[in-house]
């Protein structure tokens, strides 16, 4: 793995194309244990830098001649605390979903959470893209402690996000 430095200074168009971007923005602003500044917080707001870099990478790959499902990165994985589902009454997770979908559908408008809040797992599908999320416990993934996390998978070129996350 190559360390590229400060995420706010990375230009996605200058990065070698990859198939998948995986990130976990700092969780302090989304955690129920924190002050709940949400995505507007200085730390958790770095999620938007991940989105910016992916958009820059995809635009550069498209300019090199790739089209449709072949534009890279095709996949995105985001990990964070379950508090992301309830932060700012669910608005922060709605924003995560909407900004993720806007990578491939600029006019995307994701509605707010259903009554009772966001479910612990779900999937949304559009024209040629899909996004799925679920809460899992890290103890079942090789971590010697109980630690719940949300995992979100986006497939910008197809409908495999739920298959990747749930199968």
């Amino acid at each position: 793995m190559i360390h590229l430095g400060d995420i706010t200074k990375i230009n996605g168009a200058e990065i070698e194309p990859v198939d998948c971007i995986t990130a976990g923005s700092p969780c302090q602003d989304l955690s129920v244990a924190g002050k709940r500044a949400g995505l507007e917080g200085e730390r958790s707001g770095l999620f938007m830098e991940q989105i910016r870099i992916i958009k820059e990478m995809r635009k550069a790959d498209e300019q090199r001649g790739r089209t449709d499902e072949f534009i890279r990165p095709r996949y995105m994985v985001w990990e964070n605390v379950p508090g992301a589902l309830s932060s700012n009454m669910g608005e922060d997770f709605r924003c995560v979903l909407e900004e993720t979908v806007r990578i491939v559908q600029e006019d995307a408008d994701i509605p707010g959470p259903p009554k009772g809040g966001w479910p612990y797992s779900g999937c949304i599908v559009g024209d040629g893209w899909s996004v799925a999320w679920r809460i899992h416990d890290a103890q079942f993934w090789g971590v010697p402690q109980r630690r719940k996390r949300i995992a979100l998978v986006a497939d910008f070129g197809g409908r495999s996000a739920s298959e990747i996350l749930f199968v």
Side-chain angles (χ1 to χ4, degrees), residues 87-104:
S87 178
N88 288 321
M89 297 178 61
E91 178 61 18
D92 285 330
F93 191 65
R94 186 201 67 76
C95 183
V96 165
L97 293 172
E98 188 169 272
E99 292 300 326
T100 299
V101 173
R102 284 183 175 175
I103 289 172
V104 290

Side-chain angles (χ1 to χ4, degrees), residues 59-137:
K59 183 177 181 180
D61 210 38
E62 187 174 20
Q63 289 173 344
R64 286 189 290 271
R66 287 191 173 252
T67 60
D68 302 321
E69 73 270 17
F70 301 107
I71 299 172
R72 298 168 294 182
R74 176 172 169 174
Y75 301 98
M76 177 184 108
V77 176
W78 179 71
E79 176 271 337
N80 218 290
V81 294
L85 296 175
S86 62
S87 178
N88 288 321
M89 297 178 61
E91 178 61 18
D92 285 330
F93 191 65
R94 186 201 67 76
C95 183
V96 165
L97 293 172
E98 188 169 272
E99 292 300 326
T100 299
V101 173
R102 284 183 175 175
I103 289 172
V104 290
Q105 184 181 324
E106 292 179 13
D107 64 345
D109 184 24
I110 304 298
K115 189 175 182 178
W118 291 105
Y120 285 175
S121 64
C123 182
I124 55 175
V125 178
D127 187 20
W129 57 264
S130 57
V131 178
W133 70 92
R134 71 179 272 199
I135 301 291
H136 62 90
D137 193 327

